Amino acid sequence: MHVSRQRACPACGSTRCADPAQCLYFLTSRPWGDCVKCGGSGFAGEDSPLEIFCGYCLGSGLDEYMPGTITPDQISEGAKRRHAAFVAHLTAFVSQSPAPVAVAA
């Protein structure tokens, strides 16, 4: 059994985004709030003693909401900080990545 010690991206659920630009778009085009399962901590509860991170948000502490179902004042400051940190990380990663090269057929 392999246990990851890294928190997953809230957009793709992976510790290494296959397409960081797509994850960045996904994170900035929808509202995100505290995970409904772990309350935003990102950690597994007592009902999952063999896990480190929450199985619902995979450790990000964030949950995607449908537009219009949550207002900015309903999103906790902690969720706003976690979301901003993921966006900043992906923004830096995307800006450092070389542009994709198109191959003519």
Side-chain angles (χ1 to χ4, degrees), residues 38-61:
C38 68
S41 73
F43 291 104
E46 293 179 8
D47 58 335
S48 302
L50 299 178
E51 301 293 325
I52 296 173
F53 297 119
C54 172
Y56 193 76
C57 68
L58 303 175
S60 72

Side-chain angles (χ1 to χ4, degrees), residues 70-91:
I70 191 169
T71 61
D73 59 320
Q74 293 173 304
I75 300 171
S76 75
E77 290 303 314
K80 291 175 184 176
R81 282 191 303 273
R82 286 190 305 280
H83 180 262
F86 277 108
V87 168
H89 169 76
L90 287 171
T91 299

Side-chain angles (χ1 to χ4, degrees), residues 1-88:
M1 173 194 223
H2 177 267
V3 177
S4 176
R5 293 180 288 164
Q6 292 182 336
R7 294 175 186 255
C9 169
C12 70
S14 176
T15 56
R16 294 182 182 199
C17 304
D19 187 346
Q22 184 175 4
C23 290
L24 181 60
Y25 171 76
F26 195 70
L27 278 173
T28 56
S29 63
R30 295 162 172 81
W32 293 81
D34 287 316
C35 173
V36 296
K37 182 87 171 169
C38 68
S41 73
F43 291 104
E46 293 179 8
D47 58 335
S48 302
L50 299 178
E51 301 293 325
I52 296 173
F53 297 119
C54 172
Y56 193 76
C57 68
L58 303 175
S60 72
L62 295 172
D63 193 14
E64 174 195 5
Y65 286 80
M66 294 298 298
T69 61
I70 191 169
T71 61
D73 59 320
Q74 293 173 304
I75 300 171
S76 75
E77 290 303 314
K80 291 175 184 176
R81 282 191 303 273
R82 286 190 305 280
H83 180 262
F86 277 108
V87 168

